[in-house]
Every structure is written in structure tokens, then in C-alpha cells.
Amino acid sequence: MATFRLARRLRAQRAVDTMSDGQFAVLVALKKDGPHTLGELAARERVTAPSMNRTVNCLEESGWLTRTPDEVDRRKVNIELTDEGLAVVTETVRRRDAWLESALTGLEPAERELLAAASVLMRKVADS
């Protein structure tokens, strides 16, 4: 339960209050790994292509990503982050980091070290 509560508190630190977690995850994926096709994004987020299409449509309408035809295969469309989308990701990460830094200041150094070690294990479990 503590993990869920911490995740909820972190998710509340957003640059755009109306953006869903799923929408933000798409923007982060594009920032981290560059352009994706709709199918690649759907597979990455473990949702159906029609569901991802609705998410991408909303993000595109908001100006946070664009779709461009693939230069090699014109049947494919690449989805890319816009400068505005990058700004949303950057500001959200900044807010989350600031909140977390503030929350951790009350801990002893040994407690912060323990959390750092635990985060490595949590990532390992999450990625399995």
C-alpha cells in the first residue's frame, strides 16, 4: 500500500492537471526512445491499437505530439514529441523531483541509502 500511496503522490505533481497517466506515459516514451509507430506505442503500453489511437489523437489535438509519414515506408506513420510535449514532460519531471526531494529531506542519510537500494530492486521486479 505504501508503494501505491507514494506513486499516487508523485503522479499528482503534474504540469498539466487534465493529462492522464496513460497520456503522460506516451509522452515519456517518445522523449526517452524517440519516434514510435502507433503499434509500437500500443505494444509498449500494453493496450489495443484503437485505444492508443484515441490517446494519440488527444495528445495531437493538444499539440504535444505530431504524426509524420515514414520516409522509407509511406504506409507507416511515426509519432513524435513536439517542443510543447517535451516542455510538459520536463516540467512534470521537475515538479516530481522537487516534491520527492522535499519529502526525503526529513529522512536520515541511512534511510535515504536504504531507499536508493530498494529502488534498484523495485525496478528489477517491475521490469521482469
Side-chain angles (χ1 to χ4, degrees):
M1 289 308 295
T3 302
F4 291 129
R5 288 189 67 214
L6 177 59
R8 190 177 318 118
R9 295 286 304 271
L10 281 169
R11 283 194 310 266
Q13 308 303 313
R14 303 174 192 215
V16 178
D17 289 335
T18 58
M19 183 178 291
S20 72
D21 294 337
Q23 291 170 333
F24 185 68
V26 169
L27 296 184
V28 169
L30 295 173
K31 178 186 183 292
K32 183 176 178 247
D33 297 320
H36 283 63
T37 65
L38 188 69
E40 290 167 343
L41 283 172
R44 179 185 184 112
E45 296 303 314
R46 295 186 172 128
V47 298
T48 64
S51 177
M52 182 55 68
N53 192 48
R54 286 188 296 277
T55 299
V56 168
N57 285 342
C58 183
L59 292 169
E60 185 178 31
E61 288 169 12
S62 297
W64 296 321
L65 57 76
T66 60
R67 297 179 203 232
T68 54
D70 190 271
E71 292 180 10
V72 176
D73 184 350
R74 291 293 183 183
R75 296 170 297 173
K76 290 172 57 177
V77 174
N78 294 311
I79 300 165
E80 301 179 61
L81 196 61
T82 63
D83 290 341
E84 293 82 1
L86 177 60
V88 168
V89 172
T90 301
E91 177 60 15
T92 297
V93 169
R94 186 199 65 74
R95 289 179 185 203
R96 289 176 178 179
D97 286 349
W99 180 87
L100 193 55
E101 183 178 342
S102 175
L104 295 177
T105 58
L107 298 179
E108 297 294 326
E111 291 173 317
R112 286 193 296 276
E113 288 176 21
L114 184 59
L115 279 176
S119 72
V120 172
L121 296 175
M122 291 172 69
R123 180 181 301 257
K124 191 174 183 178
V125 170
D127 291 344
S128 66

